[in-house]
Amino acid sequence: MTGDTLADDTEATPATSSPWRHRLGAARLRLGGHRPAVGLIALLSTAIYATVGLVKLATFRASIFDLVIFDQAVRNYAHFRPPYVPAVGAFHGRGLEYLQIADHFSPAYALLAPFYWIHDGPESLVVAQALLFAAAIPFVWLFTRRVLGTGPAYLVAVAYALSWPVAQAIAFDAHEVMFVPLLTSIMIERYHAGRHGPAFAAMAGLLLVKEDMGLMVIGFAIYLFVTGDRFRGLCCAAIGAGGVMLTRGALIPMLGGSTDDFWAYGHLGPDAPSAVLTLLRDPVAAILLPFNDEAKVDTLFLMAWPTLLLCLLSPLSLAALPHVLERMLSDRALWWQADFQYNAFTVVILLCAGVDGLARLLRRFGRGDDRSLRLAWAFGACVIAVTLVPRFALDQLYHPSFYKGDEVKVAAAREAVSKVPAGVVVEAANSVGPALSARATVLLWSGQSRAAPWVVADTARWEFPFGSAEEQAATVARLETEGYRRVFERDGYVVLNRP
């Protein structure tokens, strides 16, 4: 039996419930002669993702919070130092030797150190993120090919590459989410192929990405339990719960962080037990809470719509449920939005769940072998991904103005940055800091002075964390009364120095 025949005939059943003959055959399935085509999709995706990030960096549309934060951490790893993040430490009053893994437990960033041996700058972080997002494509293709066939596999791979959650993630600096699509795609595809070792290794890797990824492990454990792999499901649930308790309850406080930083459920109670009791006292309100805001409903619909809602028919969606609830039950509105990187944590899970949901639906109606319906759904998923492009970040790519940015602003910002010498500590406006991060210790310029010898301010445009440009101008005036002198001024940018 050839690989193509196997791929077209294989049904979307969990590997643990499939016949051994199917499991062994699925395990042998590889990209084979499709490597050039799948590789081309991944290569083009990498180029697109990197272009978005690099253009934003070059045109001063990246930010200290968060690009410089992770740039500082990875640079320290690359120089075999602890992952200090002075930008975060100074902002929270915890010192310049504050550890990134005390802010968010993400030791996975150490894997990116070799990129900084090639080029020491935030550009390396942007390119690494692009590569990691694109690296999920072969595994999404393999999973879809095994379940639906070769034609749908290509369409679903393109749907992932153009997906709006990935677009939003690559457009907003760099984040630990860059590791998650690859790890979840390996976890799902290798488990489905009966290759449990790589699957559970990828699952364990999630625990090194962020302190809340144990919730995703718990979600995958629920999927295993529901689909009959109960022993492994219980083991994974214990590992996931243990990971969350260990990182949040012990490691982060031990490293100098605060567990209060992660509590976003004050409307439910001051701690986890009280929040659970609140939800249990009023189960109806608890059920409605993830839908009590229009932004939540919009985001939830947008997460499921790219699969034509068929992800809801697959138990694989349960793997995404704990992470989705973590966001939708919180009191932090940014977590609910479709504008940031949070949806990229679950994009692969839901897309694969859509593939599985279609296969289950077709089998239920005795149409499991209907290749035309498989192809039609995959085509629909791809079309939806394309139609959503204009609404999200990839839309910028076909507008010439994106590549130029505000030319007056860019020229002034570059000149301002050139006035700051290498090796100094500098407080910089949020959008200026990434241009200095490779050669200076960058702190976020805010209303509270950090006594840095150099300041690069912007008095013409609003910059986080200020309330207005007027407040920024007033802060510059105050700094001048404290002994700073202007060494440069152009188009609102002001460079201050105090010996």
Side-chain angles (χ1 to χ4, degrees), residues 11 110 189 222 343 390:
E11 294 184 346
E189 189 279 325
I222 297 171
N343 299 285

Side-chain angles (χ1 to χ4, degrees), residues 304-315 317 350-362 373 377-378:
W305 174 235
T307 69
L308 284 79
L309 307 183
L310 293 190
C311 62
L312 303 177
L313 301 181
S314 171
S317 291
L350 295 178
L351 191 57
C352 291
V355 171
D356 182 54
L358 172 68
R360 291 173 182 273
L361 182 65
L362 293 178
L373 288 177
W377 174 84

Side-chain angles (χ1 to χ4, degrees), residues 371-392:
R371 298 184 183 184
S372 62
L373 288 177
R374 300 180 192 179
L375 194 62
W377 174 84
F379 181 76
C382 190
V383 167
I384 289 173
V386 172
T387 58
L388 287 175
V389 166
R391 180 172 172 179
F392 294 99

Side-chain angles (χ1 to χ4, degrees), residues 76-101:
N76 278 312
Y77 279 127
H79 290 86
F80 304 100
R81 298 190 295 256
Y84 298 127
V85 281
V88 178
F91 186 75
H92 291 301
R94 296 172 184 171
L96 301 190
E97 293 189 348
Y98 185 61
L99 294 168
Q100 189 278 322
I101 50 177

